[in-house]
Amino acid sequence: MDTVTHSEASGGGRPLAAWFEAARQRRLKGIHTPWDFRSSAKRALPRMVFDYIDGGAGSEIAIRMNREAIDSVRLVPSAPRDVSFCDTSVTLFGQELSLPVIIGPTGLASASWPRGEIALAEAAARTGIPYVMPNAASVSPEDVARAGEGRAWFQLYPPPDRELTRKWVARIRDCGFSALEVTIDVAVPGQRLRDAYNGFVMPFRWTPGKFLDVAARPVWAMKMLYHGQPTPYLQVERDGSRATASNQSENRRHRFTRALSWDLLKILRDEWHGPLLVKGLLDPRQAGQALAAGYDGIVISNHGGRQLDGSVSPIEMLPEFRSEVGGRIPLLIDGGFRSGVDVVKAVALGASAVQLGRVGVFALATAGRAGVEHALTLFRAEIETAMALCGVTRLEQLDEHSVRHNWGGPRP
């Protein structure tokens, strides 16, 4: 395990760095699965920050259904096979990934760990996978691109101002991001009730209850005091927006446009000449539109259950997207994936890779970059084990014969 890096404890002396490293080692010792990081993060973070990461829209039915849909897929073991070596790599947009896994965009990761986006990008680069920098990051795109070492992607919420969109695209192109992921499922922010009840908004608007919440997590409080409160780096501000917003969803409402259409997405295709993905599709009938607009990939997503409560789960829709696309472009997916076994299920159903959301931030909150690297090591071990027990040595050998499920609805 590496020692504390500049991105994790910049400016700290050697005794402080050694203390943080020892604390991280203790926390990681009891982590045996990627989802173990959730409990660890809950102990490390103030409630309002943990709830922002963990929560979803409305009564959070979509979050529960995402998980139930994945659990309902069952793998078919196949033996005897010679599985002396299992290759977990996949090629995506001409670049080899060591795992069929991508660290997806999660806003305000720096509320979990100082300069958290840098730590995520570094961990991804060291593992040999991409990291998608979110539009709501708290550090500069230039810093993330450098940390990503050629593997960093950028997530874009097209803002209402199309000229600003062009400026952002030009900037991230100049930074050296290797792919652009356009998120289209936030015409309006979902109703995130945990944030409303907690009054969670960045920068923090302090109340006595929030002071008590933070005081119960002194290590987190000291890190934030030293590094400062995270604030979205790229913003579209409106006069008085911070003064009137009561929670994070309301604070972000003016930054999205309801006038999002395939015409605007085609403009982005003209502006961006690298791999271009559209994130947030759930209706397979839209796959043809993505192809016609010149997009290179689709991320099937319900925003982790954070937008439309009661929406269908992404993995339920994956076979229909596979039928519509017919292998012409890669399909990525997110929404409730917690383990390497979950990843193998998605690959068998037609995904090229899985984007991780909450689990990556929970690992970050637990131990910074070292936590994320440990989580990815656990994912690798679980993927290799699942592949071996399914009797495959390469990911492309997984297919519909490797799984069984009992979902309702149309079949491709």
Side-chain angles (χ1 to χ4, degrees), residues 98-275:
S98 66
L99 299 170
V101 165
I102 295 163
I103 299 180
T106 49
L108 296 179
S110 291
S112 299
W113 192 272
R115 293 172 61 81
E117 293 88 359
I118 301 295
L120 289 166
E122 289 174 345
R126 288 164 65 97
T127 305
I129 64 172
Y131 164 61
V132 188
M133 177 183 176
N135 222 147
S138 301
V139 296
S140 75
E142 289 81 3
D143 288 345
V144 173
R146 281 192 294 270
E149 299 178 7
R151 292 186 177 272
W153 299 4
F154 190 90
Q155 176 209 30
L156 178 70
Y157 290 111
D161 185 339
R162 294 194 179 187
E163 184 56 35
L164 182 61
T165 301
R166 291 187 174 93
K167 289 180 180 178
W168 281 1
V169 170
R171 180 174 180 180
I172 62 179
R173 182 179 60 239
D174 293 342
C175 289
F177 285 89
S178 60
L180 179 64
E181 195 168 287
V182 183
T183 298
I184 50 82
D185 58 356
V186 191
V188 295
Q191 186 184 32
R192 300 176 191 171
L193 295 180
R194 291 203 219 180
D195 293 348
Y197 293 137
N198 292 330
F200 179 77
V201 64
M202 299 296 289
F204 298 131
R205 191 170 302 123
W206 292 104
T207 65
K210 290 178 185 177
F211 273 115
L212 290 174
D213 187 16
V214 169
R217 300 292 186 270
V219 174
W220 181 91
M222 286 190 296
K223 287 188 292 190
M224 291 299 131
L225 183 64
Y226 181 82
H227 290 274
Q229 290 188 37
T231 302
Y233 191 90
L234 295 173
Q235 299 187 59
V236 182
E237 293 294 351
R238 174 183 293 171
D239 290 344
S241 63
R242 288 187 180 177
T244 58
S246 61
N247 60 69
Q248 190 63 14
S249 291
E250 289 299 319
N251 192 42
R252 299 165 66 231
R253 184 173 295 274
H254 68 280
R255 298 176 189 158
F256 308 116
T257 175
R258 291 179 180 236
L260 189 58
S261 67
W262 285 107
D263 289 338
L264 176 57
L265 297 184
K266 289 176 183 176
I267 291 173
L268 290 170
R269 174 72 282 178
D270 294 337
E271 298 288 328
W272 180 265
H273 303 299

Side-chain angles (χ1 to χ4, degrees), residues 39-58:
S39 297
S40 180
K42 191 172 185 178
R43 293 190 297 269
L45 297 172
R47 177 179 174 178
M48 62 179 176
V49 178
F50 176 81
D51 280 352
Y52 170 73
I53 301 163
D54 192 57

